Amino acid sequence: MNLISTSDLRPGQIFSAPVYTEGDYLLVTEMKPLRQRDIDVLVTWGIDYVRTKGAIIESSPPEDEIITITTADDALKAIEAELAKEMEASTVKAVSPGKSSETASAPAMKAIPKFSISDVRHNSGPYRAYKNLIEKLNKVFVNLKSGADVEMRAVDNICVQLLQDLRDYPDKFVGFILGGEVTGNELAKSSVNSAILSAMMAQELKLPHHKINNVILGALLHDVGMLRLSKGITEKKGGLSDAELEQIKSHTMHTSKIVTKELFGPHEVNLIALHHHERWDGKGYPDKLMGNAIDIGARIVSVADAFEAMVSKKSYRNSMVGYQAIKNLLSDNARRFDPSVISAFTKIMGIYPIGSILRLNDGSIARVVNIHTSAPLRPVVQMLVDNKDNVLSATKVTIINLLEDKTLFIKEAIDPAEYDAGQA
């Protein structure tokens, strides 16, 4: 296997065999010219070398293939444009160098050792704060469902507390969203999760404070209209009929009525809740708005709601790991989501979001505790299980920065539930 330094790559180079990055991600196939954007993505991800069984057989860059990246936004666009190709050999079924995708199979993985990732969290201040937010919002929802009078002030108080907790525990809260450790009160939990993610995006986009508050309020209430639908539809495990799907879509109108007629909420909060299912391409509902005609808050909550739905277990499907959910969002190509909001979300979450459970190339298991926006494939991780299957004590925390330790790289992202086997 030939190792080639990223600094030695040039646009137009053609190789006699496929070229792979760390983790066996396909960079370019044999006989296909390397592009400037391919090299720029490697630099952006902090990848120092590539591997191939072949050799360079030509080097004549076609002028129209050369794309120069000069800003961070350009780099992020390059990641979005190339991610589908670069990550096609997924971490679960990575294609080995020199093998075609038709014949290659995923390498055999060792059995997962049994241990709990939740015990320490459940006794922590961040965990109690997160659970308290869900319980408070659930109380609001129970009162609304029963017909009791509820003041908007109750939701305002949750918004204030969420912002304070998010300042104190941003990384922990993201980890709880991915871990799915709180069970029950599903509508309230989903709404709090969406509000946490929406607040982070609104802050990244540098919205004014009052707009950030309204975005959080809109996220907390965006699905409250589901309380007006029957459980036979909202909790149905099979597919929905056309009539049932229309009833599901009606939840935005029910939400609007609750926000305006029962809670007497602000107009902007109503717009966010009403329009969070509008699409950037104009094919959403209920009003088929397009692009910037959709309130920025609704565009933010749309992304948060979609990500939360993907990583949370539902009655009709299992949860998706954060890495795959990020890939899905990046592959949207300005159909459903505002590209600027997707960019903001990717910057704060990374490719492997904080809290993600990963298997490294040496067989060890780790949790992401910090990310590098300039090198999303090389986060900072806390080791959970070493390469000899020894479960590491919570009192002996080992932190590894994959940007500095180039001997390790990510092989696959794993559902956190698979590693919580020690939890009773």
Side-chain angles (χ1 to χ4, degrees):
M1 184 66 65
N2 299 320
L3 295 181
I4 302 174
S5 172
T6 298
S7 62
D8 292 332
L9 296 176
R10 299 290 181 269
Q13 289 175 333
I14 295 176
F15 297 82
S16 60
V19 181
Y20 296 84
T21 70
E22 302 166 5
D24 291 345
Y25 301 122
L26 179 65
L27 176 66
V28 65
T29 59
E30 67 270 23
M31 306 308 295
K32 183 176 180 180
L34 189 66
R35 298 170 300 175
Q36 181 64 48
R37 67 175 68 178
D38 298 321
I39 301 170
D40 289 329
V41 168
L42 293 177
V43 173
T44 300
W45 285 351
I47 296 174
D48 296 327
Y49 63 88
V50 296
R51 298 179 293 175
T52 180
K53 286 186 176 181
I56 301 173
I57 59 176
E58 185 177 335
S59 183
S60 55
E63 292 298 326
D64 60 352
E65 289 283 356
I66 299 178
I67 299 177
T68 302
I69 291 180
T70 57
T71 68
D73 284 342
D74 288 337
L76 185 57
K77 289 176 183 177
I79 291 176
E80 293 172 357
E82 297 301 309
L83 191 65
K85 177 173 73 69
E86 309 299 341
M87 307 294 275
E88 185 64 28
S90 71
T91 48
V92 178
K93 294 183 179 179
V95 177
S96 298
K99 293 184 180 181
S100 68
S101 58
E102 289 80 7
T103 59
S105 60
M109 293 297 179
K110 293 181 292 186
I112 299 171
K114 293 184 178 181
F115 71 99
S116 173
I117 64 173
S118 301
D119 293 339
V120 175
R121 291 181 178 186
H122 289 182
N123 294 319
S124 69
Y127 181 86
R128 292 194 298 271
Y130 173 69
K131 193 172 181 179
N132 184 54
L133 290 170
I134 295 171
E135 290 172 347
K136 284 185 176 180
L137 186 61
N138 186 66
K139 184 177 180 179
V140 170
F141 288 172
V142 168
N143 288 336
L144 284 170
K145 189 172 180 63
S146 68
D149 289 336
V150 178
E151 294 184 356
M152 190 67 189
R153 183 184 306 171
V155 188
D156 289 334
N157 291 339
I158 296 172
C159 171
V160 171
Q161 188 62 54
L162 186 149
L163 269 175
Q164 178 59 56
D165 292 341
L166 191 57
R167 280 192 289 268
D168 295 336
Y169 317 120
D171 297 346
K172 294 289 193 297
F173 274 16
V174 172
F176 296 148
I177 293 171
L178 292 175
E181 293 157 338
V182 173
T183 57
N185 301 334
E186 294 303 318
L187 181 60
K189 180 177 71 172
S190 171
S191 300
V192 167
N193 289 348
S194 295
I196 290 169
L197 298 172
S198 295
M200 294 172 70
M201 281 185 279
Q203 291 169 341
E204 174 66 26
L205 290 166
K206 294 180 171 52
L207 298 186
H209 182 71
H210 74 280
K211 290 189 73 68
I212 293 176
N213 283 347
N214 283 336
V215 168
I216 295 171
L217 292 171
L220 289 170
L221 297 170
H222 76 286
D223 273 345
V224 70
M226 290 291 187
L227 297 173
R228 300 293 187 257
L229 305 182
S230 70
K231 286 188 176 181
I233 292 178
T234 59
E235 298 180 3
K236 186 175 181 180
K237 294 184 179 181
L240 296 173
S241 66
D242 290 344
E244 290 170 332
L245 184 59
E246 288 304 313
Q247 288 189 56
I248 289 290
K249 287 184 177 181
S250 73
H251 81 277
T252 58
M253 303 302 295
H254 290 300
T255 296
S256 179
K257 290 178 182 178
I258 291 172
V259 172
T260 58
K261 305 295 185 183
E262 298 180 41
L263 296 174
F264 303 102
H267 175 64
E268 185 177 354
V269 174
N270 176 51
L271 288 181
I272 292 170
L274 179 63
H275 291 149
H276 72 278
H277 281 294
E278 298 291 352
R279 291 171 50 121
W280 188 249
D281 62 8
K283 297 179 180 179
Y285 65 88
D287 296 325
K288 296 192 181 300
L289 300 179
M290 176 185 290
N292 290 324
I294 308 167
D295 182 85
I296 181 61
R299 285 178 263 153
I300 289 172
V301 174
S302 176
V303 173
D305 181 51
F307 181 83
E308 198 282 333
M310 285 188 281
V311 300
S312 299
K313 187 174 183 179
K314 305 297 181 182
S315 61
Y316 49 86
R317 63 156 176 79
N318 291 326
S319 61
M320 182 184 297
V321 296
Y323 157 78
Q324 184 62 50
I326 292 289
K327 278 181 62 179
N328 286 357
L329 290 177
L330 287 176
S331 64
D332 178 68
N333 293 326
R335 293 189 297 269
R336 181 175 173 185
F337 307 113
D338 177 351
S340 67
V341 176
I342 292 292
S343 294
F345 189 67
T346 308
K347 287 178 181 177
I348 62 176
M349 296 293 283
I351 300 300
Y352 297 98
I354 289 173
S356 296
I357 306 298
L358 309 172
R359 193 193 300 269
L360 304 183
N361 60 303
D362 67 348
S364 58
I365 300 168
R367 180 196 295 119
V368 176
V369 295
N370 205 350
I371 60 174
H372 300 292
T373 56
S374 61
L377 288 180
R378 290 198 158 274
V380 179
V381 300
Q382 175 190 344
M383 304 306 296
L384 301 175
V385 179
D386 66 20
N387 58 7
K388 295 181 180 178
D389 285 349
N390 297 312
V391 178
L392 303 181
S393 170
T395 60
K396 289 186 176 182
V397 178
T398 301
I399 303 295
I400 296 179
N401 186 347
L402 296 182
L403 190 58
E404 297 175 354
D405 188 341
K406 297 300 176 68
T407 65
L408 294 173
F409 56 82
I410 297 166
K411 289 294 291 185
E412 63 175 329
I414 302 296
D415 184 349
E418 294 185 37
Y419 288 86
D420 213 19
Q423 180 70 20

